[in-house]
Amino acid sequence: MVKVGIIGATGYAGQELVRILLGHKDAEIVWYGSRSYIDQEYASVYRNMFQLVDAKCMDDNMDELSKQADVIFTATPQGLCASLVNEQILSNTKIVDLSADFRIKDVATYEKWYNLEHKSPQFIEEAVYGLCEINREDIKKARLIANPGCYTTCSILSLYPLVKERLVDVDTIIVDAKSGTSGAGRGAKVANLYCEVNESIKAYGVTTHRHTPEIEEQLGYAYDGTPLTINFTPHLVPMNRGILVTAYAKLVKDVSYEDIKAVYDKYYGKERFVRVLEKGVCPETRWVEGSNYVDVNFVIDPRTKRVVVMGAMDNLVKGAAGQAVQNMNLIMGLPEEEGLLMPPMFP
Amino acid sequence: MVKVGIIGATGYAGQELVRILLGHKDAEIVWYGSRSYIDQEYASVYRNMFQLVDAKCMDDNMDELSKQADVIFTATPQGLCASLVNEQILSNTKIVDLSADFRIKDVATYEKWYNLEHKSPQFIEEAVYGLCEINREDIKKARLIANPGCYTTCSILSLYPLVKERLVDVDTIIVDAKSGTSGAGRGAKVANLYCEVNESIKAYGVTTHRHTPEIEEQLGYAYDGTPLTINFTPHLVPMNRGILVTAYAKLVKDVSYEDIKAVYDKYYGKERFVRVLEKGVCPETRWVEGSNYVDVNFVIDPRTKRVVVMGAMDNLVKGAAGQAVQNMNLIMGLPEEEGLLMPPMFP
Amino acid sequence: MVKVGIIGATGYAGQELVRILLGHKDAEIVWYGSRSYIDQEYASVYRNMFQLVDAKCMDDNMDELSKQADVIFTATPQGLCASLVNEQILSNTKIVDLSADFRIKDVATYEKWYNLEHKSPQFIEEAVYGLCEINREDIKKARLIANPGCYTTCSILSLYPLVKERLVDVDTIIVDAKSGTSGAGRGAKVANLYCEVNESIKAYGVTTHRHTPEIEEQLGYAYDGTPLTINFTPHLVPMNRGILVTAYAKLVKDVSYEDIKAVYDKYYGKERFVRVLEKGVCPETRWVEGSNYVDVNFVIDPRTKRVVVMGAMDNLVKGAAGQAVQNMNLIMGLPEEEGLLMPPMFP
Amino acid sequence: MVKVGIIGATGYAGQELVRILLGHKDAEIVWYGSRSYIDQEYASVYRNMFQLVDAKCMDDNMDELSKQADVIFTATPQGLCASLVNEQILSNTKIVDLSADFRIKDVATYEKWYNLEHKSPQFIEEAVYGLCEINREDIKKARLIANPGCYTTCSILSLYPLVKERLVDVDTIIVDAKSGTSGAGRGAKVANLYCEVNESIKAYGVTTHRHTPEIEEQLGYAYDGTPLTINFTPHLVPMNRGILVTAYAKLVKDVSYEDIKAVYDKYYGKERFVRVLEKGVCPETRWVEGSNYVDVNFVIDPRTKRVVVMGAMDNLVKGAAGQAVQNMNLIMGLPEEEGLLMPPMFP
């Protein structure tokens, strides 16, 4: 039985970790860390957990936690994990960091986009980017996993086969992404009140969203090793969960539907959690809600020689907690899909 | 492995049966019945099931199905199960009927409220009302289960201890219920379009809703054996899932919070799926979504000598498919909670 | 041209006042008071007002304001208006107070339910309860209007004819009310975040909500002059606007549909803003959204001898800003409906 | 007083025409045409209109209607207006056609994208494309107005200044658009049920949506007279109203924020209904709901040399009925903004 500690257990991603791990037959949560709610019943913060979780919230003492847990999930704001981690901790335990601290290899890039000094640059090199479908083998050997961002997971998985196989002009990539509101977190802000979000849609962080360099770096590895430069525009959608990515790129040669389909099948045909949809079917977030699946598909536009790529997933599952558990499974030598096979819940 | 057939697999309740049964380790679906979609891929009707269900929709030949399945779920409009069932079928298999056909013992009452001739009155007597927390032992021995209605499950479980212990004047019971829109089914009607339901709330079926006599009969058994007469008013709420019941009744004597709490604990203290909340906590549908739990609580009003009782559950789970599976587990001698322990999903 | 000042212009009710008054041909806003946003552009707080309102937020200096404005609206938290008002102000100007400060004649009752010391009890007596359909003539002569609460407006108008004509047993009245989320205000609270409210319904303030004594007092005036004692239960509904009231009471004699319809027509037949619906039609909040209408109707239940009364209105219009403008029109001798004839907006 | 007839008065756009025209001081509706509801009370189809509209639905006899009305709005499916219109009608009255029948000058293009034979190609030439901000003078002289599509209005107005001033490479234009569900109409389809749309987002009509050639043609006029070729992708958003356009294009030269702002101001500085937002403010549909405004803004991305343009409007107002009334005002010599100055309603 894998002993698991969660720091940041009362955020939406932290709570989703709890939901998933309660159904994981080889894992047990031993630490519900939440600085804001120390000593309060976890089930009083998330009442869905009434009678299911009988524990109080703890602090974020990662040194102590590292002695008790085989794996620590840090579902915390940027900077916290980097400020707490040290060699001793990493020799005691494994860390799956759901924040951005170890996702970007170039410290300057991280510090510029996040406007934050990195407190543990010495661990960036060894950290493995935890996109399981792409870095599976490296993840298995890692001590420190940088769990990918929600937008990035969906963007990268949607575009990866096309970039990897050099079917598109990477200078023309535009990612227009739409997210449910849980992605904005559980902080009490006027902008996230029900009446402010409901019945509206908006773009935000236009040209400046922090997931941009992460997508650029990872797609760059798939291409020629150096980061791409793309446009990424996130939008806030009045729904709880779900991310939809609609991406555009110029095709570099004449290819048929079958050609591209073959490329997607090449990379995802054996992947449990990436579903390449049938011809003509557009991904919709409702079909993946509550699950670890990413649904992807594409349409070729013969008029403009562009390909329109779409991906849909649950931002809290494959975009956060589900992928984190998938990483945990890989690190701990468990079946990759353990605890993650719940079907999407609809409606 | 229990072999399961579903008639009406493409309605919302039918699909929820599929979702739940996919996670049930002792059950296997052998028949996805849906007259409207015969020969179509089930996963083309519910795309969340892509790559999870590899079967086509079948007809509703219950004779044939009864030879293949250990249990048949009928998630169909009123009248269908009664028109198909016969002694041969019931000797072959067990039936859990999610429609109202066998819920009401008095045929005349059924025919009046449903405005429908009952086609198999001979089976009404043996049918067991499948409210597991109340009729558990009878359910275990049954061939034919009348799976309770969604509003009724929540209403009865909320009020049962008070009525059973004769703490309230049963002539004063008023049930004001609120349901998400999945309760209205998947039929293409203008009234259920997104723009018609969204941003609105309304009562409907005022004084005439068909779940009224069902509540009256079952609470009557808990009281003195004859049906009560109550007011029941359902409302349509702009959300997918969830039922909230707010019920009112005059207390017949001075009782304290602790007195009533003790009564609820007496009936539900050992029940896995009924959660009596802590003092002062009101049930909310978000805390049970996707799960088989019913959350109940009450407030005494010393000014009016009334008790206000509240219950919240997921109409598609405990109010339909989850309870049906709970019944199946009981009939087949499986652990009652098998396949039903998914925690509520929030947000 | 009536000069209008608003204190609390950046709350939802305050902003709705602005929206309505911009379309009022005899009124002009001269003061956008908002302590939280002093010196900020009003249109930067509510961007729908971009290019429509070219003013900055001011403080809540009511003395100064009373010299500039013919009417002051206080759309502020309980206690503020009572702490600012004085004889000088009331001799300069008229006040329409959207808070509860002057709604309840009995100071002890106010202080108990609101848990607040009343700072200006000397003005309670002269304040007129601004339910225009009932107190029209008194309103015309008033200096200080207590603008009714949202739940109370809908509850009182729904039940008034039945109580006034003594058709119901007033000891049996139960009001089960449902409100959209704008009623909770624009404060940054976790409980009102999009993901917390969306896809859920709950009761709150059960037996203790502050609108209870207001309903009891006003319906008491319609009955025998002393407050009734009722049950009132509010619910939070995932929608922006709208209140639906479902009320229950025992009929004290045999009456037909026509009898009760005649009573409603007697009181509301000539009222512009109360629409008694046709037989069998239930009020729905979508049909009044954005407008000053209250839709009411009733169903007699011959089985239980109860009448079920329903009322629907927009909580921000007839339940707050619209009614406040209606009061202003009456005080200032303008046509009662001026600025209030916008049809309900659907969908 | 202008006499107005509406054909298709019971669709969402038709009903929005009614809502707007009820507040128009120089117009009177004399004909509520709706084939589906002939002889039924209009207010029984849209109960918001109870006591506001006292008329029954009529057929679509345009010959007869042309004798009674000064202006006819056809808010009908594609093909209907073209099949009914004739020279006699156009000599009697003016027509504002809200369908696509006369929007596209090239018949072959129309017939290909709409998969429909055009029944009145002889009127295409004289029809004026009713985008008031661009074709104002021609509109004033027209008999037949092709009221622009919802997506197209928002797309064109967002991009027009950049294309007209040749600041972008028109071959790189990508329009990613998001619409509320009222755009899908009031037809009873499973895909538009509440539970199917709620809590989900999807793209649809990818590379094939019918508004594509309309955008291409109109932006082509702004450029060099021949249609552009662009990518246009619409998305369905779980909200009632609103369209957001996010468009991307390569800049053809180094320009500053101020340069582009000046261009937008040049075209829209004096336009009542187009609001160029302040620097850094992204358009959001909530700020225009219920109004005739289009909010636009842009962000330059120095990294990619692209400009990201955003536009938000209410699809039923500026995207349909509001613009239609704006056209009517122009044709009839009324003030262009009459009936259209209602502020956006929030929340």
Side-chain angles (χ1 to χ4, degrees):
Chain A
M1 188 67 77
V2 173
K3 291 188 171 151
V4 174
I6 302 172
I7 297 185
T10 55
Y12 288 142
Q15 187 261 163
E16 188 71 354
L17 276 167
V18 174
R19 179 178 81 94
I20 292 171
L21 290 168
L22 288 178
H24 191 295
K25 70 183 174 49
D26 300 318
E28 176 192 11
I29 304 172
V30 298
W31 188 293
Y32 293 81
S34 173
R35 262 200 296 205
S36 319
Y37 294 96
I38 289 176
D39 287 338
Q40 293 186 40
E41 293 285 345
Y42 187 78
S44 75
V45 183
Y46 284 103
R47 294 192 184 279
N48 50 332
M49 298 305 174
F50 184 59
Q51 295 182 356
L52 306 184
V53 173
D54 182 24
K56 289 189 167 156
C57 294
M58 317 269 289
D59 62 23
D60 53 9
N61 184 335
M62 205 190 271
D63 292 299
E64 175 57 29
L65 173 49
S66 74
K67 297 173 195 156
Q68 299 185 22
D70 303 307
V71 181
I72 298 174
F73 293 102
T74 48
T76 47
Q78 325 306 335
L80 189 78
C81 183
S83 73
L84 293 178
V85 71
N86 58 45
E87 182 57 35
Q88 184 60 49
I89 290 171
L90 282 174
S91 67
N92 288 349
T93 190
K94 311 283 188 184
I95 294 180
V96 179
D97 177 25
L98 282 77
S99 85
D101 287 359
F102 298 98
R103 292 179 193 157
I104 293 175
K105 290 298 176 200
D106 183 62
V107 185
T109 300
Y110 171 89
E111 296 188 338
K112 177 179 144 212
W113 286 80
Y114 285 88
N115 195 24
L116 204 69
E117 185 194 351
H118 201 296
K119 295 297 177 53
S120 296
Q122 70 275 24
F123 296 116
I124 294 179
E125 185 53 34
E126 79 157 288
V128 174
Y129 190 74
L131 195 49
C132 307
E133 286 73 13
I134 294 176
N135 296 333
R136 184 169 285 123
E137 295 312 312
D138 288 343
I139 291 165
K140 291 179 181 172
K141 296 171 289 191
R143 300 193 300 178
L144 173 57
I145 298 288
N147 206 58
C150 53
Y151 283 123
T152 43
T153 297
C154 200
S155 302
I156 296 168
L157 289 176
S158 297
L159 285 163
Y160 182 78
L162 294 174
V163 172
K164 182 79 176 175
E165 296 289 320
R166 297 173 166 263
L167 290 177
V168 294
D169 175 353
V170 294
D171 290 333
T172 67
I173 293 175
I174 290 170
V175 177
D176 190 285
K178 298 90 178 170
S179 175
T181 306
S182 58
R186 212 191 193 198
K189 295 179 187 165
V190 167
N192 295 334
L193 291 177
Y194 183 82
C195 290
E196 308 289 319
V197 172
N198 191 36
E199 295 296 294
S200 193
I201 183 167
K202 67 172 176 184
Y204 64 99
V206 180
T207 73
T208 61
H209 193 277
R210 292 160 169 192
H211 285 180
T212 311
E214 190 181 333
I215 302 170
E216 292 178 335
E217 178 177 336
Q218 295 299 325
L219 286 180
Y221 295 142
Y223 194 67
D224 66 2
T226 59
L228 310 182
T229 305
I230 67 165
N231 268 102
F232 170 71
T233 312
H235 296 76
L236 186 68
V237 180
M239 59 185 193
N240 284 349
R241 288 168 178 248
I243 280 181
L244 183 74
V245 156
T246 314
Y248 304 85
K250 275 277 183 187
L251 290 163
V252 293
K253 56 179 169 181
D254 270 349
V255 283
S256 66
Y257 168 80
E258 288 70 23
D259 294 334
I260 297 189
K261 179 63 160 56
V263 166
Y264 275 86
D265 286 342
K266 171 179 172 187
Y267 290 95
Y268 299 141
K270 294 182 179 165
E271 287 298 336
R272 189 75 177 244
F273 294 121
V274 183
R275 304 192 294 194
V276 182
L277 302 186
E278 290 167 341
K279 188 173 183 177
V281 178
C282 289
E284 308 184 25
T285 63
R286 61 176 165 154
W287 300 130
V288 294
E289 191 176 342
S291 82
N292 202 47
Y293 296 101
V294 184
D295 285 358
V296 298
N297 213 346
F298 63 90
V299 176
I300 298 171
D301 189 347
R303 300 167 66 249
T304 62
K305 313 291 184 200
R306 289 195 189 95
V307 60
V308 183
V309 180
M310 293 161 282
M313 68 170 204
D314 186 319
N315 58 307
L316 292 179
V317 189
K318 184 61 177 172
Q323 183 146 264
V325 170
Q326 194 178 351
N327 275 304
M328 177 193 83
N329 288 339
L330 288 172
I331 304 177
M332 304 306 293
L334 300 170
E336 184 172 338
E337 70 278 12
E338 173 52 36
L340 296 170
L341 293 179
M342 54 282 188
M345 189 171 90
F346 172 83
Chain B
M1 189 63 77
V2 174
K3 290 188 170 151
V4 174
I6 302 172
I7 298 185
T10 55
Y12 288 143
Q15 186 262 163
E16 188 71 354
L17 277 167
V18 174
R19 179 178 81 94
I20 292 171
L21 290 167
L22 287 178
H24 192 296
K25 68 181 173 55
D26 300 318
E28 175 193 12
I29 304 173
V30 299
W31 187 293
Y32 293 82
S34 173
R35 260 200 297 206
S36 318
Y37 294 96
I38 291 177
D39 287 339
Q40 293 185 41
E41 294 285 344
Y42 186 78
S44 74
V45 183
Y46 284 103
R47 294 192 183 278
N48 50 332
M49 298 306 174
F50 183 60
Q51 294 182 358
L52 306 183
V53 174
D54 181 25
K56 289 190 167 154
C57 294
M58 318 267 290
D59 62 24
D60 53 8
N61 183 336
M62 206 190 271
D63 292 299
E64 176 56 30
L65 172 50
S66 74
K67 296 174 195 156
Q68 300 185 22
D70 302 307
V71 180
I72 298 173
F73 294 102
T74 49
T76 46
Q78 325 306 337
L80 188 79
C81 183
S83 73
L84 293 179
V85 72
N86 58 45
E87 182 56 37
Q88 184 59 49
I89 290 171
L90 282 173
S91 67
N92 288 349
T93 191
K94 313 281 190 185
I95 295 180
V96 179
D97 177 25
L98 282 79
S99 86
D101 287 358
F102 298 99
R103 292 178 193 159
I104 293 176
K105 290 297 177 200
D106 183 62
V107 185
T109 300
Y110 171 89
E111 294 187 339
K112 179 179 142 211
W113 286 79
Y114 284 87
N115 195 24
L116 203 68
E117 186 195 349
H118 201 295
K119 295 297 177 54
S120 296
Q122 70 275 23
F123 296 116
I124 295 179
E125 185 52 36
E126 78 158 289
V128 174
Y129 190 75
L131 196 48
C132 308
E133 285 74 15
I134 294 176
N135 297 330
R136 182 169 285 122
E137 295 312 314
D138 288 344
I139 291 165
K140 291 179 181 172
K141 297 171 292 193
R143 300 193 299 177
L144 173 58
I145 298 289
N147 205 59
C150 52
Y151 282 122
T152 44
T153 296
C154 199
S155 301
I156 296 168
L157 289 175
S158 297
L159 286 163
Y160 182 79
L162 295 174
V163 171
K164 182 81 177 173
E165 297 287 322
R166 297 171 165 266
L167 290 177
V168 294
D169 176 353
V170 295
D171 290 333
T172 66
I173 294 174
I174 289 170
V175 177
D176 191 285
K178 297 91 178 166
S179 175
T181 305
S182 58
R186 213 191 192 198
K189 294 177 189 168
V190 167
N192 295 334
L193 290 178
Y194 182 83
C195 289
E196 308 289 319
V197 172
N198 191 37
E199 293 297 295
S200 193
I201 183 167
K202 66 172 177 184
Y204 65 98
V206 181
T207 76
T208 61
H209 193 275
R210 294 161 167 189
H211 285 180
T212 311
E214 190 180 332
I215 303 170
E216 292 179 334
E217 178 177 335
Q218 295 299 324
L219 286 180
Y221 294 141
Y223 194 66
D224 67 2
T226 58
L228 310 181
T229 305
I230 69 164
N231 268 103
F232 171 72
T233 311
H235 296 75
L236 186 69
V237 180
M239 60 186 192
N240 284 349
R241 289 169 177 246
I243 279 181
L244 183 74
V245 156
T246 314
Y248 305 86
K250 275 275 182 189
L251 290 162
V252 293
K253 56 179 171 182
D254 271 349
V255 285
S256 67
Y257 169 80
E258 288 71 23
D259 295 335
I260 297 189
K261 180 62 159 57
V263 166
Y264 274 87
D265 286 342
K266 173 178 169 187
Y267 290 96
Y268 300 140
K270 294 182 178 164
E271 288 297 337
R272 187 76 177 245
F273 295 120
V274 183
R275 304 192 294 192
V276 183
L277 302 185
E278 290 167 341
K279 190 173 182 177
V281 178
C282 290
E284 309 184 25
T285 63
R286 62 176 163 153
W287 300 129
V288 294
E289 192 176 340
S291 82
N292 202 47
Y293 297 101
V294 185
D295 284 0
V296 297
N297 213 346
F298 63 90
V299 176
I300 297 171
D301 188 347
R303 300 166 67 249
T304 62
K305 313 293 185 201
R306 289 196 188 94
V307 60
V308 184
V309 181
M310 293 159 283
M313 67 172 204
D314 186 320
N315 59 306
L316 291 180
V317 189
K318 185 61 177 171
Q323 184 146 261
V325 170
Q326 197 178 350
N327 275 305
M328 178 193 81
N329 288 340
L330 288 172
I331 304 177
M332 304 307 293
L334 301 170
E336 185 173 338
E337 70 277 12
E338 172 53 34
L340 296 170
L341 293 179
M342 53 283 188
M345 187 170 92
F346 172 82
Chain C
M1 188 67 75
V2 173
K3 291 189 170 151
V4 175
I6 302 171
I7 298 185
T10 55
Y12 288 143
Q15 186 262 163
E16 188 71 354
L17 277 167
V18 175
R19 179 178 81 93
I20 292 171
L21 290 168
L22 287 179
H24 192 295
K25 67 183 173 54
D26 300 318
E28 176 192 11
I29 304 173
V30 299
W31 187 293
Y32 294 81
S34 173
R35 261 200 297 207
S36 318
Y37 294 96
I38 290 176
D39 287 339
Q40 293 185 40
E41 294 285 346
Y42 187 77
S44 75
V45 183
Y46 284 104
R47 294 193 183 278
N48 49 332
M49 298 305 174
F50 183 60
Q51 295 182 354
L52 307 184
V53 174
D54 181 25
K56 289 189 168 158
C57 294
M58 317 268 289
D59 61 24
D60 52 9
N61 184 336
M62 206 190 270
D63 293 298
E64 175 57 29
L65 173 50
S66 73
K67 296 173 197 157
Q68 301 186 20
D70 303 306
V71 181
I72 298 174
F73 294 101
T74 49
T76 46
Q78 326 305 337
L80 188 78
C81 183
S83 73
L84 293 179
V85 72
N86 58 46
E87 182 57 35
Q88 184 59 51
I89 290 170
L90 281 174
S91 67
N92 288 348
T93 191
K94 313 282 188 183
I95 294 181
V96 179
D97 177 25
L98 283 78
S99 86
D101 286 0
F102 298 98
R103 292 179 193 158
I104 292 175
K105 292 295 176 201
D106 184 62
V107 184
T109 300
Y110 172 88
E111 295 188 338
K112 179 179 143 212
W113 286 81
Y114 285 87
N115 196 25
L116 205 67
E117 186 195 350
H118 200 295
K119 296 295 176 55
S120 298
Q122 69 275 23
F123 296 116
I124 295 180
E125 185 52 35
E126 77 158 289
V128 174
Y129 190 75
L131 196 48
C132 308
E133 285 73 15
I134 294 176
N135 296 332
R136 183 169 286 122
E137 295 312 313
D138 289 343
I139 291 164
K140 291 179 182 173
K141 298 171 290 192
R143 300 193 300 178
L144 174 56
I145 298 289
N147 205 58
C150 53
Y151 282 124
T152 43
T153 296
C154 200
S155 301
I156 295 168
L157 289 175
S158 297
L159 285 162
Y160 182 78
L162 294 173
V163 172
K164 182 81 176 172
E165 296 288 320
R166 296 172 166 265
L167 290 178
V168 295
D169 177 353
V170 295
D171 289 334
T172 66
I173 294 175
I174 289 170
V175 177
D176 191 284
K178 299 90 178 167
S179 175
T181 306
S182 57
R186 212 191 194 198
K189 295 178 188 167
V190 168
N192 295 334
L193 290 177
Y194 183 83
C195 290
E196 308 289 318
V197 172
N198 190 37
E199 293 298 295
S200 193
I201 183 168
K202 66 172 177 184
Y204 64 98
V206 181
T207 77
T208 61
H209 192 276
R210 292 160 167 192
H211 285 180
T212 311
E214 189 180 334
I215 303 171
E216 293 178 335
E217 178 178 334
Q218 295 299 325
L219 286 181
Y221 295 140
Y223 194 66
D224 66 2
T226 58
L228 309 182
T229 306
I230 68 164
N231 268 103
F232 171 72
T233 312
H235 296 76
L236 186 69
V237 180
M239 58 187 192
N240 284 349
R241 290 169 176 246
I243 279 182
L244 183 74
V245 157
T246 314
Y248 304 86
K250 275 276 183 189
L251 290 162
V252 292
K253 56 179 171 182
D254 270 350
V255 284
S256 66
Y257 168 80
E258 287 71 23
D259 295 335
I260 298 190
K261 179 63 161 55
V263 166
Y264 275 87
D265 286 343
K266 172 179 170 187
Y267 290 96
Y268 299 140
K270 293 181 180 166
E271 288 297 338
R272 187 77 178 245
F273 295 122
V274 183
R275 304 191 294 192
V276 183
L277 302 185
E278 292 167 341
K279 189 173 182 178
V281 177
C282 290
E284 309 184 26
T285 63
R286 61 175 164 153
W287 300 130
V288 294
E289 191 176 342
S291 82
N292 202 46
Y293 297 100
V294 184
D295 284 359
V296 298
N297 213 347
F298 63 90
V299 176
I300 298 171
D301 189 347
R303 301 166 66 248
T304 62
K305 314 291 185 203
R306 288 194 190 95
V307 59
V308 184
V309 180
M310 293 160 283
M313 68 172 203
D314 186 318
N315 59 306
L316 290 180
V317 189
K318 184 62 178 171
Q323 184 147 261
V325 170
Q326 196 178 349
N327 276 304
M328 177 193 82
N329 288 340
L330 288 173
I331 304 177
M332 304 306 293
L334 300 170
E336 185 172 339
E337 69 276 13
E338 172 52 36
L340 297 170
L341 292 180
M342 54 282 189
M345 189 171 90
F346 172 82
Chain D
M1 188 66 76
V2 173
K3 292 190 170 148
V4 174
I6 302 172
I7 298 186
T10 55
Y12 287 142
Q15 186 263 165
E16 189 71 354
L17 276 168
V18 174
R19 179 177 82 92
I20 292 170
L21 290 168
L22 287 178
H24 192 295
K25 69 180 171 56
D26 299 319
E28 176 193 10
I29 304 174
V30 298
W31 187 294
Y32 294 81
S34 173
R35 261 199 298 205
S36 317
Y37 294 97
I38 290 178
D39 287 338
Q40 294 185 41
E41 293 285 345
Y42 187 76
S44 74
V45 182
Y46 283 103
R47 294 191 183 281
N48 50 333
M49 297 306 174
F50 183 59
Q51 294 181 356
L52 306 184
V53 174
D54 182 26
K56 290 190 167 155
C57 294
M58 317 269 288
D59 61 23
D60 52 8
N61 184 336
M62 205 189 271
D63 292 299
E64 175 56 31
L65 172 50
S66 73
K67 297 174 196 158
Q68 300 185 19
D70 302 308
V71 180
I72 298 174
F73 294 102
T74 49
T76 46
Q78 325 305 337
L80 188 78
C81 183
S83 74
L84 293 179
V85 70
N86 58 46
E87 182 56 36
Q88 182 61 50
I89 291 171
L90 281 174
S91 66
N92 289 348
T93 191
K94 312 281 190 184
I95 294 180
V96 179
D97 177 25
L98 282 80
S99 84
D101 287 359
F102 297 98
R103 293 178 193 156
I104 293 176
K105 292 295 177 200
D106 183 62
V107 186
T109 300
Y110 172 89
E111 295 189 338
K112 178 179 144 210
W113 285 81
Y114 284 88
N115 195 24
L116 204 68
E117 186 195 349
H118 201 295
K119 295 296 177 54
S120 297
Q122 71 274 24
F123 296 115
I124 295 179
E125 185 53 34
E126 79 158 287
V128 174
Y129 191 75
L131 197 48
C132 308
E133 286 73 15
I134 295 177
N135 296 331
R136 183 169 286 124
E137 295 312 313
D138 289 342
I139 291 166
K140 290 178 183 175
K141 296 171 290 190
R143 299 192 301 175
L144 173 58
I145 298 288
N147 206 59
C150 53
Y151 282 123
T152 43
T153 297
C154 200
S155 302
I156 295 168
L157 289 175
S158 297
L159 286 162
Y160 182 79
L162 294 173
V163 172
K164 183 80 177 173
E165 297 288 320
R166 297 172 165 265
L167 290 177
V168 295
D169 176 352
V170 295
D171 289 333
T172 66
I173 294 176
I174 289 171
V175 177
D176 191 286
K178 299 89 177 169
S179 175
T181 306
S182 57
R186 213 191 191 196
K189 295 179 188 167
V190 168
N192 295 334
L193 290 176
Y194 182 83
C195 290
E196 308 289 318
V197 171
N198 191 37
E199 294 297 292
S200 192
I201 183 168
K202 66 173 177 184
Y204 65 98
V206 180
T207 73
T208 62
H209 193 276
R210 293 162 168 190
H211 285 179
T212 311
E214 190 181 332
I215 303 170
E216 292 178 335
E217 178 177 335
Q218 295 299 325
L219 286 181
Y221 295 141
Y223 195 66
D224 65 2
T226 58
L228 311 182
T229 305
I230 69 165
N231 267 103
F232 171 71
T233 312
H235 296 76
L236 186 69
V237 180
M239 60 186 192
N240 285 348
R241 287 168 179 249
I243 279 182
L244 183 74
V245 156
T246 315
Y248 305 85
K250 275 278 182 187
L251 290 162
V252 292
K253 55 180 169 181
D254 270 348
V255 284
S256 66
Y257 168 80
E258 288 70 23
D259 294 335
I260 297 190
K261 179 63 161 54
V263 166
Y264 275 88
D265 287 342
K266 171 178 171 188
Y267 290 96
Y268 300 140
K270 295 183 179 163
E271 287 297 335
R272 188 77 178 244
F273 295 120
V274 183
R275 304 192 294 192
V276 182
L277 303 185
E278 290 168 341
K279 189 173 184 179
V281 177
C282 290
E284 308 184 25
T285 63
R286 62 175 165 154
W287 300 129
V288 294
E289 191 177 341
S291 81
N292 202 48
Y293 297 100
V294 184
D295 284 359
V296 298
N297 213 346
F298 63 90
V299 176
I300 297 170
D301 189 347
R303 299 166 68 250
T304 62
K305 314 291 185 202
R306 289 196 189 96
V307 59
V308 184
V309 180
M310 293 161 283
M313 67 169 205
D314 186 319
N315 58 306
L316 292 179
V317 190
K318 184 62 176 170
Q323 183 146 263
V325 170
Q326 196 177 349
N327 275 305
M328 178 193 81
N329 289 340
L330 288 172
I331 303 177
M332 304 306 293
L334 300 170
E336 184 172 341
E337 68 278 12
E338 172 53 35
L340 296 170
L341 292 179
M342 54 281 188
M345 188 171 90
F346 172 82

